[in-house]
Amino acid sequence: MKTNIVLGVIGADCHAVGNKVLDYAFTEAGFQITNIGVLSSQEDFINAAIETNASAILVSSLYGHGEIDCRGLREKCEEAGLKGILLYAGGNLVVGKQDWESVKKRFEDMGFDRVYAPGTSPEEGIRDLKEDLKQELKKIS
Amino acid sequence: MKTNIVLGVIGADCHAVGNKVLDYAFTEAGFQITNIGVLSSQEDFINAAIETNASAILVSSLYGHGEIDCRGLREKCEEAGLKGILLYAGGNLVVGKQDWESVKKRFEDMGFDRVYAPGTSPEEGIRDLKEDLKQELKKIS
Amino acid sequence: MELKNKKLSEAEFMQERKEVLTHWETGKDVDLQEAVDYLKKVPEHKNFAAKLRKAKEEGITLAQPRAGVAGVDEHIKLLQYLQNEGGADLLPNTIDSYTRQNRYNECEVGIQESIKEKRSMLNGFPVVNHGVYNCRKILDAVELPLQARHGTPDARLLTEIIHAGGWTSNEGGGISYNIPYAKSVSLEKTIRDWQYCDRVTGLYEEMGVKINREPFGPLTGTLVPPSMSNAVAIIEGLLAAEQGVKNLTLGYGQCGNLVQDVAAIRGLIQQAEEYFTTYGYDIELTTVFHQWMGGFPADESKSFGVISWGAATAALAGATKVIVKTPHEAIGIPTMEANAQGIKATKQVLNLLKGQHMPMSKELELEINLIKAETKCILDKVFELGKGDLAVGAVKAFQTGVMDIPFAPSNYNAGKILPARDNNGAVRYLEFGNIPMSQDVKDFNKQLLEERAKVEGRDVSFQMVVDDIYAVGKGTLVGRPEGK
Amino acid sequence: MELKNKKLSEAEFMQERKEVLTHWETGKDVDLQEAVDYLKKVPEHKNFAAKLRKAKEEGITLAQPRAGVAGVDEHIKLLQYLQNEGGADLLPNTIDSYTRQNRYNECEVGIQESIKEKRSMLNGFPVVNHGVYNCRKILDAVELPLQARHGTPDARLLTEIIHAGGWTSNEGGGISYNIPYAKSVSLEKTIRDWQYCDRVTGLYEEMGVKINREPFGPLTGTLVPPSMSNAVAIIEGLLAAEQGVKNLTLGYGQCGNLVQDVAAIRGLIQQAEEYFTTYGYDIELTTVFHQWMGGFPADESKSFGVISWGAATAALAGATKVIVKTPHEAIGIPTMEANAQGIKATKQVLNLLKGQHMPMSKELELEINLIKAETKCILDKVFELGKGDLAVGAVKAFQTGVMDIPFAPSNYNAGKILPARDNNGAVRYLEFGNIPMSQDVKDFNKQLLEERAKVEGRDVSFQMVVDDIYAVGKGTLVGRPEGK
Ligand code: B12
Ligand code: B12
């Protein structure tokens, strides 16, 4: 059985190219993708994850408002019963060229398990996701 | 009577374009130019200044060895009897992009009255020279 | 209300207008007659339409950056810097993404947070929230014409505010600000809403104020075949003209192959002029060339290469203006310094190339003819679908995939076509979806892609498309397999 | 000894050689047979001639920086950085100016001071002082072919050392490393000394080692009309061929007008090939295009514009390699970072343009024909003056001003011609001095300059020349009066 994951671009963000490429790459890598596309709210992500019993939510934000848009997503997931679901974020997460380490920290503090710098290749995300899922499995067994 | 000045490019430096333009501009501005051209030694400058009873020596150095080539010129002028002759230097005086203030100081310490940054226009030198010559005149009278 | 390509009646427009101006509190400051009086006092050198006309006459290419931050004073500082240090010829006001989605409440949050964090938390200038008087404050603070650049499906209130605020150009269009920028807004609605925007411009024209309008040429910015974007540009131009727009700038986003890019701009202006003449519109037409709009290299020096090559192509093509990227493009909204750097590199190239144009050659002629033929295939069908009505035709064309924009997020876009580069880097159709191209055109596109495939020792496939998406960011134009 | 364009006899050469190798103590380490054995073990990818041949076959343009510092280890670090971070395709060893004047004692001072000051006090790598083994140490430390780039009128010892040291290319020539680089060295002497250098290369070739030779194309780098530099390139190429050189790269410095620059490169290779065929030399011919060699803008972003435009022109012209400038050009020898930046911008443009060439057009054809006709006027007269002997002819041509290089420092240069740009920025002859151009050519040049003068509302004059000298540095190609 394939692992379900939810993919989308959060907020008022319409950048669709990376989203389509991620869809293609993660599907090729064997995941079952639910792609909610661009301009998706936190609720859209959560609903899709519940519906598909997803193991991970992959949030893209390209346009700079990621910091505002992602705030509280972890808490809402918990409330909705998606306890400990893997949360990844990638893209151009903040406005402007900022010190990457501090950006990463800000997103980790918001509860993201993995945070990716601009231009990260899908392969890196795929590798990490496989790794993290293996770890989860170990924890359970 | 026109003021005599000596113009040239010091050391093993063959950059001739700026030299030709300076010749043209200072001549247009009313000076009597003795242009000893490129690849000129300190001795060439001094001999020309003595021969023409020059009021100023304008040294160009473009190629980066200016620091080595200009060292001791003031002392040699003094020895040769060119006491207090105006010494100007301009061009790309040192190797590389260096802090301009420190370069300027180094050349002033060597005894240059005026030191010009890369790309200085001839007009600036002409203005200064007229000013300095006026001052000299005042000192004498 | 039925969509039609017909000038909105005064009654219809005025009624709608009342409602539009209530969408946010700043709407109340818009007073058309007062605005016209104000605009008539704006000096000629700050009028966008006038400056473009002059540039066209002189045969030069103007440089315009993108720029916008959350706060008014910071935005003014930014624009002044781009004007004085950067040497921009035209100034933008890039609008933030919440405004683009009419989420003015979220803008308010962004403005507040920006004040708190002492850095812009918004990716642009929230013009609706700031309102008419702040627009004028900005215009007073600079010596160049101002334009709003956004990506707003429903830009009616925004349009009212910016023009009343003295900005004399507005970017956008019912297709170009929907398909690449929205997911679930219908084309009927955006075309109708942009008729409103165009009508506003038309009204100003009728009242004696020149306003420039610019459809957004590059669409998704990613491997859009020139004929598809030229078709959109011509349609939006015609729709705008019907509403009374008089000064139009049609746009195109660089693909990267010189001959194709020059052909696209030349073909666009020739063909647009033909259509305007046929349909009886008297339009002052100029062109805008966008430096590469797809993914950029992260390295700043490499970005300078991309930027400069875009500037060179714009000049050689003879575009009236060029939209400038920055060395920060791959990473984030540029600092004002990085933004000025992009302009300076661009202007240096434009100045070196002043008066130089790409001479006509067999290759260029062929490419112009190809692009025009492809564009005509599309437009003919659009008119047919609309039974002569372009607005209706456009909606149906997207419904049926006759028009189709690669990688677009909109649910109203078929998403069936695929583009890829040929062996020389020109963008071709790999999948035509439902675009009604002639067999000649289809065969030629196919042949060119097969040639590339052969060189690369692989089949024409989606992997080629993916490779091409990444290529410029990785430093090449064509996305070749390793070692090819 | 009488100067003649004739392969040096073995006896004559060997006798001279003995003496040359005593000019500085490092000469004693040169052993021809040992060097050949060593060079035969140098892998193909580090051979300059081989890499150029491959590039020509593939139709691509390689990028090569300029770079050199006083110390061996620092120089290695620099080259490795340009290779790894910059992505250079070919590596240079730019030689310092004291070495160029054979002032090895002053080099010693410079080396010592550099150690003391912990920064390079020399403007290049003093290769003669460092000697054969340090050259090899450098070659071992990099993965690219190495070349010496200098400007040395008497480069005989230098040539011996670099080739024995495994560097497989040498820049220079009896005219191109004299007239722009010296004041009072006679052409007889430098042509004779460069026959020696070429003969060294010829010997290596005869012993089975491929060595590339590159006459210095741009001369004074400042508004040199293409026909004058092409004439020099062809003469130096023929002189080199006579000494047994087999792999030649002819060069040209960008003037800035695209059509003229492309025409200059295309005309150069066509015409050179014609001459080589006529005179019976079988030569592997490639071309090098130099990014703008005159005064640069001080602003780094603007410099990126100049650099990228040079890269684009090189690619469109189809040059085999391009010599890269840096964003520090106007100020001083670049840091290694700035140097790599220039390469990265250049390579980005070259990669975007891979496979793209300037298509043939009426304008391009006209310009190629003009340049070839002008070049032929010069060369015909040179042969005539030399009574068929090119070496003699070249000396007499400079004596009589038949050949004449603008702004050159040499006393052996007439300095009677003046160049200026026409209205499109192409470099034309304003004063012909004694160059024996046909009346057609003269009239055409004059007409073009008159056109510009009319546009600028002034007379054709020396002020125009001065304005053009400053123009690129001030951000334009053509030096117009204020406000024009
Ligand atoms: C193309 C483009 C557009 C097109 C988008 C068309 C479309 N609908 O898709 C258009 C022209 C419409 C556009 C509009 C805008 N854009 Co835009 N755009 C770009 C651009 C040039 C390329 C994006 C792209 O397609 N890249 C190619 C794909 C394959 O890569 P990617 O998107 O980066 O995604 C990959 C990786 O990031 C990673 N990834 C992404 N998410 C995740 C998540 C996980 C978990 C993992 C593992 C990996 C991962 O994998 C993806 C696939 O490889 C970028 C700059 C750049 N990158 O060069 C700017 C950029 C993203 N845009 C930007 C902005 C600001 C805008 C606008 C607001 C306009 C403006 N102010 O300039 C509007 C946005 C409107 C809106 N509502 O969203 C900014 C964002 C700034 C910031 N974050 O500070 C950028 C960075 C440009 C810039 N430097 O200013 N844009
Ligand atoms: C053209 C040029 C050449 C030509 C020169 C042809 C010739 N014979 O004239 C060639 C190609 C031969 C050449 C060779 C070399 N060059 Co060169 N060259 C240049 C270049 C691009 C332009 C110079 C020029 O003509 N400018 C136009 C004229 C009008 O301006 P100018 O020379 O700056 O002079 C004006 C002002 O400086 C001022 N000025 C000058 N002196 C004075 C004095 C006074 C009192 C006043 C008031 C004003 C003043 O007024 C002048 C007229 O407006 C410059 C870089 C640049 N500026 O962009 C490098 C540059 C000068 N060259 C440089 C170097 C190193 C060399 C070489 C050693 C090769 C190398 N390693 O790369 C050789 C030198 C060989 C030698 N023995 O000298 C370096 C010097 C580096 C440094 N100082 O750190 C520069 C700065 C390039 C660089 N960044 O590396 N070069």
Side-chain angles (χ1 to χ4, degrees):
Chain A
M1 216 195 70
K2 288 189 178 176
T3 314
N4 290 333
I5 62 175
V6 172
L7 178 70
V9 185
I10 202 165
D13 191 339
C14 71
H15 289 90
V17 183
N19 173 264
K20 287 179 201 286
V21 175
L22 285 171
D23 189 331
Y24 176 72
F26 276 79
T27 305
E28 288 276 293
F31 294 100
Q32 183 70 42
I33 298 295
T34 305
N35 188 353
I36 59 172
V38 304
L39 287 155
S40 295
S41 65
Q42 296 193 350
E43 289 68 29
D44 294 340
F45 279 96
I46 291 169
N47 293 338
I50 293 173
E51 261 168 46
T52 62
N53 190 19
S55 310
I57 295 178
L58 273 51
V59 180
S60 292
S61 175
L62 283 305
Y63 73 152
H65 295 181
E67 214 172 331
I68 303 185
D69 297 335
C70 288
R71 223 174 269 158
L73 178 60
R74 171 60 77 192
E75 291 73 15
K76 285 213 190 105
C77 283
E78 297 289 317
E79 282 166 30
L82 294 168
K83 288 221 164 39
I85 189 169
L86 284 172
L87 281 185
Y88 286 16
N92 301 63
L93 290 167
V94 292
V95 172
K97 203 168 186 168
Q98 298 182 27
D99 168 53
W100 173 242
E101 283 311 315
S102 105
V103 173
K104 194 169 165 223
K105 175 127 198 330
R106 263 178 267 161
F107 276 78
E108 284 170 353
D109 288 350
M110 283 189 226
F112 283 87
D113 300 290
R114 300 263 186 184
V115 193
Y116 297 96
T120 303
S121 78
E123 286 66 42
E124 200 173 323
I126 290 167
R127 203 177 343 99
D128 290 343
L129 185 57
K130 287 188 174 161
E131 178 66 29
D132 289 353
L133 290 170
K134 226 187 286 166
Q135 295 297 331
E136 301 266 298
L137 224 62
K138 269 198 209 143
K139 263 193 261 167
I140 300 168
S141 62
Chain B
M1 216 196 67
K2 288 191 179 177
T3 313
N4 290 333
I5 62 175
V6 173
L7 178 70
V9 184
I10 201 164
D13 192 340
C14 70
H15 289 91
V17 183
N19 172 264
K20 286 179 201 288
V21 175
L22 285 170
D23 189 331
Y24 176 72
F26 276 81
T27 305
E28 288 277 293
F31 294 100
Q32 183 70 41
I33 297 296
T34 304
N35 188 353
I36 61 172
V38 304
L39 286 156
S40 296
S41 65
Q42 296 192 352
E43 290 68 28
D44 294 339
F45 279 96
I46 290 169
N47 293 339
I50 293 173
E51 263 169 47
T52 61
N53 190 19
S55 310
I57 296 178
L58 272 49
V59 180
S60 292
S61 174
L62 284 305
Y63 73 152
H65 294 181
E67 213 173 331
I68 303 184
D69 296 335
C70 287
R71 222 173 269 159
L73 178 59
R74 171 59 77 192
E75 291 73 17
K76 286 215 188 101
C77 283
E78 297 289 318
E79 282 165 29
L82 295 168
K83 287 223 165 30
I85 188 170
L86 285 172
L87 280 186
Y88 286 14
N92 302 61
L93 289 168
V94 292
V95 171
K97 201 166 188 171
Q98 298 183 28
D99 167 55
W100 173 242
E101 283 311 314
S102 106
V103 173
K104 194 168 166 223
K105 175 129 201 325
R106 264 179 266 160
F107 276 79
E108 283 169 354
D109 288 350
M110 283 188 226
F112 284 87
D113 299 290
R114 301 262 187 186
V115 193
Y116 297 95
T120 302
S121 78
E123 286 66 43
E124 199 173 323
I126 290 168
R127 204 179 340 104
D128 290 343
L129 186 56
K130 288 188 173 161
E131 178 65 30
D132 288 353
L133 289 170
K134 226 186 285 164
Q135 294 297 330
E136 300 266 296
L137 225 64
K138 271 200 205 138
K139 264 194 261 168
I140 300 169
S141 63
Chain C
M1 194 177 13
E2 199 197 353
L3 182 67
K4 265 210 295 207
N5 178 24
K6 183 99 197 52
K7 189 188 275 194
L8 304 183
S9 74
E10 181 156 353
E12 187 183 355
F13 174 76
M14 283 305 170
Q15 193 194 339
E16 180 172 345
R17 186 160 192 264
K18 247 192 226 138
E19 194 257 338
V20 165
L21 295 181
T22 66
H23 286 178
W24 190 254
E25 51 170 8
T26 49
K28 70 175 185 323
D29 298 331
V30 180
D31 172 334
L32 192 60
Q33 187 56 58
E34 186 269 350
V36 168
D37 295 344
Y38 169 80
L39 274 158
K40 283 191 171 161
K41 278 181 259 151
V42 169
E44 173 103 348
H45 71 275
K46 291 198 196 181
N47 183 289
F48 221 94
K51 182 135 186 186
L52 284 170
R53 187 202 310 124
K54 195 156 160 275
K56 187 180 180 180
E57 280 164 15
E58 292 173 1
I60 60 172
T61 304
L62 304 173
Q64 182 180 13
R66 290 191 179 80
V69 288
V72 176
D73 293 337
E74 293 74 15
H75 187 62
I76 287 177
K77 192 175 148 212
L78 171 59
L79 293 188
Q80 286 176 337
Y81 188 81
L82 300 183
Q83 167 187 285
N84 300 334
E85 171 63 19
D89 299 308
L90 298 164
L91 287 175
N93 299 275
T94 301
I95 309 305
D96 74 288
S97 293
Y98 292 141
T99 301
R100 295 170 185 217
Q101 303 292 331
N102 312 107
R103 304 189 188 169
Y104 310 122
N105 283 315
E106 282 168 75
C107 292
E108 215 49 53
V109 175
I111 294 172
Q112 292 316 321
E113 291 224 6
S114 302
I115 295 171
K116 217 176 66 195
E117 299 266 336
K118 293 200 172 68
R119 60 186 163 93
S120 182
M121 298 287 288
L122 292 181
N123 60 12
F125 181 75
V127 66
V128 170
N129 292 55
H130 287 311
V132 174
Y133 300 117
N134 279 311
C135 287
R136 293 186 184 176
K137 185 173 168 191
I138 296 166
L139 185 65
D140 283 343
V142 299
E143 288 306 319
L144 298 171
L146 289 175
Q147 180 186 42
R149 303 187 68 84
H150 37 131
T152 313
D154 175 3
R156 290 173 299 165
L157 178 56
L158 180 150
T159 300
E160 293 278 6
I161 287 177
I162 63 162
H163 293 326
W167 301 0
T168 43
S169 178
N170 192 12
E171 195 197 42
I175 300 169
S176 64
Y177 268 11
N178 175 345
I179 304 298
Y181 285 101
K183 185 160 82 173
S184 42
V185 187
S186 78
L187 255 182
E188 258 117 332
K189 169 135 177 48
T190 50
I191 291 183
R192 180 58 187 69
D193 286 344
W194 274 93
Q195 285 181 324
Y196 180 102
C197 300
D198 286 331
R199 190 66 206 108
V200 173
T201 307
L203 270 180
Y204 277 101
E205 288 281 353
E206 288 153 22
M207 295 169 84
V209 177
K210 280 229 136 308
I211 304 262
N212 171 257
R213 273 278 293 117
E214 176 186 341
F216 175 61
L219 303 170
T220 51
T222 307
L223 305 176
V224 182
S227 53
M228 188 52 70
S229 56
N230 281 6
V232 173
I234 291 171
I235 293 173
E236 292 193 347
L238 288 166
L239 294 177
E242 175 60 26
Q243 300 302 325
V245 168
K246 292 282 172 211
N247 188 294
L248 252 180
T249 306
L250 297 187
Y252 165 76
Q254 178 179 29
C255 282
N257 174 285
L258 177 63
V259 172
Q260 183 177 48
D261 285 335
V262 172
I265 285 283
R266 303 241 179 115
L268 174 58
I269 192 142
Q270 288 166 17
Q271 208 166 12
E273 264 160 8
E274 287 157 27
Y275 275 96
F276 286 122
T277 307
T278 306
Y279 289 91
Y281 300 114
D282 183 20
I283 296 289
E284 219 163 68
L285 202 60
T286 49
T287 53
V288 50
F289 182 89
H290 293 250
Q291 290 176 357
W292 174 244
M293 287 291 288
F296 252 64
D299 182 274
E300 297 194 15
S301 306
K302 293 182 184 169
S303 293
F304 274 116
V306 178
I307 289 168
S308 304
W309 175 232
T313 307
L316 291 171
T320 323
K321 74 171 180 179
V322 59
I323 302 292
V324 176
K325 290 266 173 170
T326 83
H328 283 185
E329 177 63 14
I331 310 303
I333 304 269
T335 57
M336 73 183 189
E337 290 80 10
N339 207 332
Q341 285 171 3
I343 310 172
K344 286 191 281 185
T346 297
K347 292 235 9 184
Q348 177 78 30
V349 174
L350 294 178
N351 286 337
L352 292 177
L353 283 165
K354 205 173 269 175
Q356 297 190 47
H357 296 294
M358 181 82 169
M360 185 48 73
S361 58
K362 248 191 12 249
E363 290 81 347
L364 181 55
E365 205 181 343
L366 180 119
E367 198 64 44
I368 293 177
N369 291 340
L370 177 65
I371 292 173
K372 284 167 83 170
E374 291 182 357
T375 307
K376 187 164 181 307
C377 286
I378 299 169
L379 291 177
D380 283 352
K381 189 74 188 178
V382 173
F383 279 106
E384 188 193 314
L385 287 171
K387 302 205 169 78
D389 188 290
L390 198 53
V392 176
V395 172
K396 292 209 172 137
F398 275 92
Q399 259 164 22
T400 52
V402 160
M403 296 187 76
D404 193 349
I405 290 161
F407 316 113
S410 173
N411 295 334
Y412 293 84
N413 186 64
K416 291 233 151 45
I417 76 163
L418 279 180
R421 295 189 184 279
D422 70 17
N423 204 42
N424 293 323
V427 173
R428 308 294 177 190
Y429 292 92
L430 188 158
E431 290 289 349
F432 283 90
N434 288 326
I435 308 178
M437 295 292 183
S438 67
Q439 198 57 43
D440 279 14
V441 163
K442 287 194 174 171
D443 291 346
F444 190 53
N445 274 267
K446 191 164 172 205
Q447 176 201 325
L448 290 168
L449 292 175
E450 295 283 337
E451 267 172 28
R452 167 179 169 193
K454 210 172 136 201
V455 170
E456 293 176 0
R458 60 169 169 177
D459 289 339
V460 174
S461 72
F462 187 65
Q463 189 56 48
M464 221 177 230
V465 183
V466 174
D467 292 345
D468 284 349
I469 289 175
Y470 285 124
V472 174
K474 290 187 175 168
T476 63
L477 189 60
V478 184
R480 312 270 189 203
E482 286 296 295
K484 286 276 163 169
Chain D
M1 193 180 12
E2 199 197 354
L3 182 66
K4 265 212 296 214
N5 179 23
K6 184 101 197 51
K7 189 189 274 194
L8 304 182
S9 73
E10 182 156 352
E12 188 183 354
F13 174 77
M14 282 305 171
Q15 193 193 340
E16 181 172 344
R17 188 161 191 264
K18 248 192 227 137
E19 193 258 338
V20 165
L21 295 181
T22 66
H23 286 178
W24 190 252
E25 50 169 8
T26 48
K28 70 174 186 328
D29 298 331
V30 181
D31 173 335
L32 193 59
Q33 188 56 57
E34 186 267 350
V36 168
D37 295 343
Y38 169 79
L39 274 157
K40 282 191 172 162
K41 278 181 259 147
V42 169
E44 172 103 347
H45 71 275
K46 291 198 197 180
N47 183 290
F48 221 94
K51 182 135 185 183
L52 285 169
R53 188 203 309 125
K54 195 156 160 277
K56 187 181 181 183
E57 281 163 16
E58 293 173 1
I60 60 173
T61 304
L62 304 173
Q64 182 179 14
R66 290 191 178 80
V69 288
V72 177
D73 293 338
E74 294 75 14
H75 187 63
I76 287 177
K77 193 174 148 213
L78 171 59
L79 293 187
Q80 286 176 337
Y81 187 82
L82 300 182
Q83 166 186 283
N84 300 334
E85 171 63 19
D89 299 307
L90 298 164
L91 287 175
N93 298 275
T94 301
I95 309 305
D96 75 287
S97 292
Y98 293 140
T99 301
R100 295 171 185 216
Q101 302 292 331
N102 313 107
R103 304 188 188 170
Y104 309 123
N105 283 316
E106 282 167 77
C107 291
E108 217 48 53
V109 175
I111 295 172
Q112 292 315 322
E113 291 223 6
S114 302
I115 294 171
K116 218 176 65 195
E117 298 266 337
K118 293 200 173 65
R119 60 186 163 95
S120 182
M121 298 287 287
L122 293 180
N123 61 12
F125 181 76
V127 67
V128 169
N129 292 55
H130 287 312
V132 175
Y133 300 117
N134 279 313
C135 288
R136 293 185 184 177
K137 185 173 169 191
I138 296 166
L139 186 65
D140 282 343
V142 298
E143 288 307 319
L144 298 171
L146 289 175
Q147 179 185 42
R149 304 187 67 85
H150 37 130
T152 312
D154 175 2
R156 290 172 299 166
L157 178 56
L158 180 150
T159 301
E160 293 277 7
I161 286 176
I162 62 161
H163 293 326
W167 301 0
T168 42
S169 178
N170 191 13
E171 195 197 41
I175 300 168
S176 64
Y177 268 12
N178 176 344
I179 304 297
Y181 284 100
K183 184 160 82 173
S184 43
V185 187
S186 79
L187 255 184
E188 257 116 329
K189 168 131 176 52
T190 50
I191 291 182
R192 180 57 186 72
D193 287 345
W194 274 93
Q195 286 181 324
Y196 180 100
C197 299
D198 286 330
R199 189 68 205 108
V200 173
T201 307
L203 270 181
Y204 277 100
E205 287 280 353
E206 288 153 21
M207 295 168 85
V209 177
K210 281 232 135 305
I211 304 260
N212 169 258
R213 273 278 293 116
E214 177 186 340
F216 176 61
L219 304 168
T220 50
T222 306
L223 305 175
V224 182
S227 54
M228 188 52 71
S229 56
N230 281 5
V232 174
I234 291 171
I235 292 173
E236 292 194 348
L238 288 165
L239 295 176
E242 174 61 26
Q243 300 303 323
V245 168
K246 292 283 174 211
N247 187 293
L248 252 180
T249 306
L250 298 186
Y252 165 75
Q254 177 180 27
C255 282
N257 174 285
L258 177 63
V259 173
Q260 183 176 50
D261 286 335
V262 172
I265 285 283
R266 303 243 178 114
L268 175 58
I269 192 141
Q270 288 166 16
Q271 207 166 14
E273 264 160 8
E274 288 158 26
Y275 276 95
F276 286 122
T277 307
T278 307
Y279 289 90
Y281 300 114
D282 183 21
I283 296 289
E284 219 162 67
L285 202 61
T286 48
T287 53
V288 51
F289 182 89
H290 293 250
Q291 290 175 356
W292 174 244
M293 288 291 289
F296 251 63
D299 182 273
E300 297 194 14
S301 305
K302 294 182 183 169
S303 293
F304 274 115
V306 178
I307 289 168
S308 303
W309 176 231
T313 307
L316 291 171
T320 323
K321 73 171 180 179
V322 58
I323 302 292
V324 177
K325 289 264 173 171
T326 83
H328 283 185
E329 177 63 17
I331 310 302
I333 305 268
T335 57
M336 74 184 186
E337 290 80 11
N339 208 331
Q341 285 170 4
I343 310 171
K344 286 191 281 185
T346 297
K347 291 236 7 185
Q348 177 77 30
V349 173
L350 294 177
N351 286 337
L352 292 177
L353 284 165
K354 205 172 269 174
Q356 297 190 46
H357 297 293
M358 182 82 169
M360 185 47 74
S361 58
K362 249 190 13 248
E363 290 82 347
L364 181 55
E365 203 180 345
L366 180 122
E367 198 65 44
I368 292 176
N369 290 340
L370 177 65
I371 292 172
K372 284 167 84 169
E374 290 182 358
T375 307
K376 187 165 182 308
C377 286
I378 298 169
L379 291 176
D380 282 352
K381 190 77 190 176
V382 174
F383 278 106
E384 188 193 312
L385 287 170
K387 303 206 169 79
D389 188 291
L390 197 53
V392 176
V395 172
K396 291 210 172 133
F398 275 93
Q399 258 163 24
T400 53
V402 161
M403 295 186 77
D404 194 348
I405 291 163
F407 316 113
S410 172
N411 295 334
Y412 293 84
N413 186 65
K416 290 232 150 46
I417 76 163
L418 279 181
R421 294 190 184 277
D422 70 16
N423 204 42
N424 294 321
V427 174
R428 308 294 176 190
Y429 292 91
L430 188 158
E431 290 288 349
F432 282 91
N434 288 326
I435 308 178
M437 294 292 182
S438 68
Q439 198 56 42
D440 279 12
V441 163
K442 287 195 174 171
D443 291 346
F444 189 54
N445 273 269
K446 191 162 173 207
Q447 177 201 325
L448 289 168
L449 292 175
E450 295 283 339
E451 268 173 28
R452 166 179 170 191
K454 210 172 136 202
V455 170
E456 292 176 1
R458 60 170 170 176
D459 288 340
V460 174
S461 72
F462 187 65
Q463 190 56 47
M464 223 178 231
V465 183
V466 174
D467 292 344
D468 283 349
I469 289 175
Y470 286 124
V472 173
K474 289 187 176 170
T476 63
L477 189 60
V478 183
R480 313 270 187 202
E482 287 295 295
K484 287 274 165 175

